[in-house]
Amino acid sequence: QVQLVESGGGLVQAGGSLRLSCAASGRTFSSYYMCWFRQAPGKEREFVGAITRNGGSTYYTDSVKGRFTISRDNAKNMVYLQMNSLKPEDTAVYYCAARDYRLGYSSRRADFGSWGQGTQVTVSS
């Protein structure tokens, strides 16, 4: 299992930007398909986006397309979530998650076995 630690959350005004980081331990980071999820108060944890193990492809939920960008640096064992044009409805705890690429693509929370502790993002109106 890979160990994950998120950082970079905070309070930002609507229209602003934040960059979240997720640091992964282990020597096999490049074997993992990485995702970002988020959970708002009283709501289910939802898929935000994903990046393939070599960074060649990314996927996003419709509500963040054109505003959020996922990237990774396998040499540093890092994955990032650049969030622009933030809206109050983006307020949530954001989590990174890892899935062995051999298991295939998934955006289902239950299919991810490795999670970080989360980082709070609050967008004020």
Side-chain angles (χ1 to χ4, degrees):
Q1 294 279 0
V2 62
Q3 306 298 315
L4 304 171
V5 178
E6 301 96 336
S7 62
L11 174 64
V12 64
Q13 289 188 331
S17 297
L18 278 175
R19 187 195 195 206
L20 305 184
S21 299
C22 174
S25 65
R27 296 175 292 176
T28 58
F29 177 68
S30 60
S31 296
Y32 289 91
Y33 168 82
M34 298 298 297
C35 281
W36 287 93
F37 287 77
R38 66 185 180 186
Q39 188 166 16
K43 294 188 176 182
E44 295 288 318
R45 192 171 299 186
E46 65 171 354
F47 172 81
V48 174
I51 187 166
T52 53
R53 64 187 184 116
N54 63 2
S57 296
T58 52
Y59 308 91
Y60 302 95
T61 192
D62 286 346
S63 63
V64 308
K65 282 181 182 176
R67 300 189 298 122
F68 289 13
T69 303
I70 298 176
S71 61
R72 67 189 295 165
D73 185 338
N74 285 346
K76 297 181 178 179
N77 282 15
M78 297 290 295
V79 63
Y80 306 98
L81 179 64
Q82 177 67 44
M83 304 185 294
N84 299 328
S85 302
L86 282 161
K87 305 175 181 180
E89 51 264 43
D90 294 318
T91 295
V93 178
Y94 283 71
Y95 300 88
C96 63
R99 177 173 166 85
D100 190 310
Y101 83 98
R102 294 169 293 183
L103 298 175
Y105 172 83
S106 176
S107 61
R108 295 176 62 241
R109 173 187 177 182
D111 290 338
F112 288 80
S114 297
W115 293 87
Q117 83 290 349
T119 186
Q120 176 71 47
V121 172
T122 302
V123 184
S124 63
S125 57

